[in-house]
Amino acid sequence: MYDNNCMRKWNIIIAALLFILGTICFIFFEAMPVTIFQDETANRLICGFLSRFGMSFLFVWLLFKFGGKKYLLFDGSFLKTLLWSLPCFMVAFINFPYSALISGTASIERMDLMGLYILYVIGVALLEELIFRGVAIMVVGDLLN
């Protein structure tokens, strides 16, 4: 049976490997010419979603493994939880060029990609939420204690 020191070392090694794997996955989908769809715009949206969703799983695992589970659990009502995470989702939606739509200089020509756009927004918001709710708060909390 392993002692706590040995288990902690293995946890750190596994976390480092997962971080490296997640980073490689992120770079692969963001920087490499991966073709999932023939349509360039659809391909960019799905690759952006996959890279952020993969990194989100990595951050969830890291938080659970290293004592940040409390930052992932929501206390109170659903409305309170939704209000807490709303800024992360709003940042992703604000990136859409609404001002160009209002001024008439742009239009939505590809409604067939709206589902992929929504997936992309969810991926961006989920990753930002995990980074700021979990990792950043946990690191700052540990530094202050």
Side-chain angles (χ1 to χ4, degrees):
M1 185 169 274
Y2 293 109
D3 62 348
N4 280 343
N5 246 356
C6 187
M7 286 301 290
R8 182 159 172 78
K9 287 178 186 177
W10 275 109
N11 285 339
I12 291 172
I13 290 170
I14 291 170
L17 289 174
L18 281 174
F19 186 77
I20 291 167
L21 182 65
T23 303
I24 290 170
C25 177
F26 188 80
I27 291 170
F28 176 75
F29 281 114
E30 290 296 320
M32 305 290 285
V34 178
T35 303
I36 298 172
F37 295 120
Q38 294 300 322
D39 184 336
E40 183 183 336
T41 305
N43 197 57
R44 217 173 37 239
L45 287 171
I46 195 68
C47 285
F49 167 74
L50 290 174
S51 66
R52 284 156 180 81
F53 202 66
M55 289 297 287
S56 296
F57 275 118
L58 170 66
F59 280 116
V60 167
W61 186 85
L62 288 173
L63 286 169
F64 268 104
K65 202 64 181 167
F66 292 101
K69 188 192 294 189
K70 65 183 175 187
Y71 298 110
L72 296 172
L73 301 176
F74 298 107
D75 297 339
S77 70
F78 177 75
L79 181 60
K80 187 176 177 183
T81 300
L82 183 64
L83 288 175
W84 170 257
S85 57
L86 192 61
C88 291
F89 286 94
M90 291 308 298
V91 166
F93 277 111
I94 289 171
N95 286 326
F96 187 78
Y98 296 108
S99 60
L101 283 176
I102 293 170
S103 67
T105 59
S107 63
I108 299 175
E109 295 178 6
R110 301 285 312 270
M111 286 304 287
D112 59 321
L113 297 178
M114 194 54 71
L116 286 176
Y117 177 72
I118 290 170
L119 275 178
Y120 177 77
V121 167
I122 290 170
V124 168
L126 182 64
L127 184 58
E128 286 183 10
E129 179 72 9
L130 287 169
I131 289 172
F132 293 110
R133 177 190 288 269
V135 176
I137 291 175
M138 189 171 81
V139 169
V140 169
D142 287 347
L143 288 175
L144 294 175
N145 288 333

